[in-house]
Amino acid sequence: MLDPCEDSITGLRARYRSGEVSVHEVVARHLDRIEALDGTLNAVVTLNPHALSEAAALDASRSEVGPLHGIPVVVKDNIATAGIATAVGSVALCKHVPDTDATVVTVLRRSGAIILGKTAMPDFAVSWHGHSSRSGYTRNPYDVSRDPGGSSSGTAAAVAANLAAAGIGTDTGGSIRVPASFCGLVGIRPTVGAVSRHGIVSLVREQDTPGPLARSVADAAALLDVMTAWDPHDPSTAGPAHARRGSAAAALVPGALSSARIGVVRALCATGPADDPAVADVIEQALAAMRARGAELVDIDLPGLGALLRGTFHYPRQSRRDINRSLALAGTAIRDVADIVASGQFLPALALLPVIAAGPEDPSTDPGHGAAWELRTRLQHVVAAAFAEHRLSALAYPTVRIAAPRWANVDNGVFEDGALDTWTSDESTFPTNTLIAAQAAFPAITLPAGQTSGGLPVGLELLGLPHDDTRLIALAFDTERALPPRPIPGLVLSSINRETTS
């Protein structure tokens, strides 16, 4: 019998209907998995003390509560959960317990999902890596000497290691897609406003969006369908709710690639000094697989992309205000991130956080703030022009141009973390491609493209135009069918072998 921890959302729902397993049994099994593996992973920071009683209540209901009935889910630590600590990865806020759920948690619970617990993240989501003052280091289940990526680090590590069926992260610059790439998962950055941000601590309000991380496109789509809705507490949801083009689940049919023109941004696939040629090789194989399923690949250029990304990097000017507004709405004891930095209650390796704390309380006082938002419009036009000129369905490129780095390299300052006195906004040393969708506020999805010879996952990102989320999901679903199956992480295999021999 398939272990419930290995099963898909569709598989679990079928087993509930048949009576093969109960929700209580499945939740208990996942909690056992957390107890067995999370001492090594350090992915889950706070458990829901009522998870088993909530599971028993679902079993007693004798009917499906909703489309995620009995599905065990983990939630990032910047998303409010009533009665469960929500610290945004910060040791300074570790005692903050919200009175109410974020909207996205409310809709998950209403759909029948069981919130198992909260997951690790870097302080205020300001890192590409999975370390924080609250919880220390989170490990990658494919190789525990390596980083799972950030900032949705704990969610990705937990879902990859089968500690939950799926999870919720947030994405401002790539915080869903980077850890999904490193941990062999599907991660969706929806159109901004498709999913409510109410109850979530912000970083750059115009870029922030929650989204799902899952082990398959179908599972990610199941979560996104539940999460996507208008919310009067977040006015930005009105436009996407009106523009929504069908459900994500309806897009899960073969054949989307056969009529697709995919723009391959070759400059983002090239191997530079900081990039990994093994990743480029995996991406080329994935692109060939897409072509074999009927996609027409078109090499394209995005003129001036580097300068546009540098010019639309809003964190130093805006994030202090957006974080502080979120803290005030959440009712935390500390209301200014600058006070946290001044007290030293943050991970010193997070070099961007002091820069944010030194930023203006009101960005409108910064003469460069308006110009940066004008550049955002130009970035959007450059990307959209490529779609119009080449009649594209999506752009494609590696999510990150390296596989998961070793923690030793992160600690030694190979990337921006660990280089507190040398941080610069001119150019990140971290070779990610996720900033394009983030800073243009466009939707994107990453899916596992394959593995390096060392067994490390590689992510392929597909970027679409606003409100084209369902088309991206259709393309990702068809691409997934053409790519190698996701391998079981080494940490999970070791656990299975121990259980088999015991």
Side-chain angles (χ1 to χ4, degrees):
M1 183 184 298
L2 180 67
D3 187 326
C5 294
E6 320 297 330
D7 214 343
S8 66
I9 289 175
T10 301
L12 285 173
R13 291 184 65 192
R15 294 168 82 172
Y16 291 148
R17 292 191 195 104
S18 70
E20 180 185 326
V21 292
S22 67
V23 177
H24 189 278
E25 289 169 337
V26 169
V27 170
R29 177 63 182 137
H30 280 86
L31 292 173
D32 288 344
R33 178 68 69 92
I34 291 171
E35 183 176 3
L37 297 185
D38 201 50
T40 300
L41 276 184
N42 197 26
V44 180
V45 290
T46 310
L47 288 172
N48 175 8
H50 307 297
L52 285 173
S53 61
E54 291 170 5
L58 285 183
D59 287 329
S61 69
R62 298 183 181 278
S63 61
E64 282 195 337
V65 169
L68 296 180
H69 180 93
I71 303 302
V73 174
V74 288
V75 175
K76 190 176 179 179
D77 193 35
N78 61 344
I79 302 173
T81 41
I84 307 173
T86 301
V88 205
S90 171
V91 68
L93 299 177
C94 63
K95 294 183 179 179
H96 174 64
V97 179
D99 295 325
T100 57
D101 286 331
T103 296
V104 68
V105 175
T106 298
V107 298
L108 287 170
R109 292 187 191 277
R110 193 179 294 149
S111 74
I114 300 291
I115 307 300
L116 292 179
K118 305 300 287 295
T119 52
M121 60 177 287
D123 306 37
F124 298 98
V126 300
S127 176
W128 299 117
H129 310 294
H131 48 188
S132 84
S133 65
R134 184 186 187 200
S135 55
Y137 290 85
T138 300
R139 307 287 176 175
N140 191 311
Y142 283 92
D143 180 344
V144 295
S145 73
R146 295 179 183 269
D147 174 23
S151 64
S152 303
S153 44
T155 299
V159 174
N162 304 329
L163 306 189
I168 307 302
T170 60
D171 192 304
T172 303
S175 288
I176 286 172
R177 292 161 292 147
V178 169
S181 178
F182 285 173
C183 292
L185 298 176
V186 175
I188 300 178
R189 173 191 167 82
T191 294
V192 173
V195 181
S196 172
R197 285 89 53 84
H198 178 67
I200 299 175
V201 175
S202 182
L203 189 55
V204 177
R205 184 67 176 170
E206 291 83 357
Q207 294 176 200
D208 297 333
T209 178
L213 292 101
R215 295 189 290 269
S216 69
V217 174
D219 281 359
L223 260 73
L224 188 62
D225 270 341
V226 166
M227 296 163 65
T228 302
W230 176 68
D231 177 13
H233 298 295
D234 183 354
S236 69
T237 59
H242 180 73
R244 193 177 185 193
R245 300 167 184 168
S247 71
L252 303 176
V253 293
L257 288 174
S258 64
S259 58
R261 284 172 60 87
I262 306 297
V264 180
V265 190
R266 286 292 170 190
L268 303 180
C269 303
T271 301
D275 303 338
D276 185 349
V279 168
D281 289 344
V282 171
I283 293 299
E284 288 304 319
Q285 294 170 31
L287 293 173
M290 295 174 75
R291 186 184 294 109
R293 288 189 70 84
E296 183 179 355
L297 305 185
V298 183
D299 288 354
I300 69 155
D301 182 37
L302 299 175
L305 179 63
L308 288 170
L309 292 179
R310 289 190 292 273
T312 54
F313 193 83
H314 297 292
Y315 304 84
R317 293 189 177 99
Q318 184 170 323
S319 289
R320 181 183 179 187
R321 181 200 66 184
D322 290 354
I323 291 171
N324 291 351
R325 284 181 175 178
S326 297
L327 296 181
L329 288 170
T332 59
I334 302 173
R335 300 296 176 87
D336 191 342
V337 67
D339 293 335
I340 292 175
V341 170
S343 71
Q345 296 182 87
F346 72 101
L347 187 72
L350 302 182
L352 179 57
L353 192 59
V355 177
I356 287 172
E361 294 184 62
D362 179 0
S364 67
T365 62
D366 186 326
H369 188 244
W373 283 107
E374 287 183 11
L375 282 177
R376 203 274 282 267
T377 301
R378 189 182 304 174
L379 172 62
Q380 291 172 328
H381 290 169
V382 166
V383 176
F387 278 79
E389 179 182 355
H390 299 285
R391 297 176 287 111
L392 300 178
S393 307
L395 301 184
Y397 42 80
T399 310
V400 190
R401 299 187 301 277
I402 60 171
R406 294 192 183 278
W407 268 120
N409 289 334
V410 176
D411 289 342
N412 289 336
V414 172
F415 308 108
E416 68 292 332
D417 279 10
L420 183 58
D421 298 325
T422 58
W423 188 90
T424 172
S425 63
D426 289 342
E427 189 163 357
S428 172
T429 57
F430 188 68
T432 182
N433 293 327
T434 56
L435 289 173
I436 304 167
Q439 291 173 206
F442 285 4
I445 183 169
T446 180
L447 69 157
Q451 303 81 43
T452 67
S453 59
L456 297 176
V458 173
L460 171 70
E461 180 161 319
L462 301 176
L463 176 149
L465 296 177
H467 313 299
D468 237 1
D469 306 57
T470 52
R471 181 193 286 192
L472 283 181
I473 288 168
L475 293 170
F477 179 73
D478 212 22
T479 302
E480 182 181 57
R481 294 162 59 87
L483 297 177
R486 172 185 174 271
I488 298 174
L491 184 69
V492 176
L493 280 174
S494 298
S495 174
I496 292 171
N497 290 337
R498 286 195 299 272
E499 291 179 5
T500 302
T501 57
S502 63

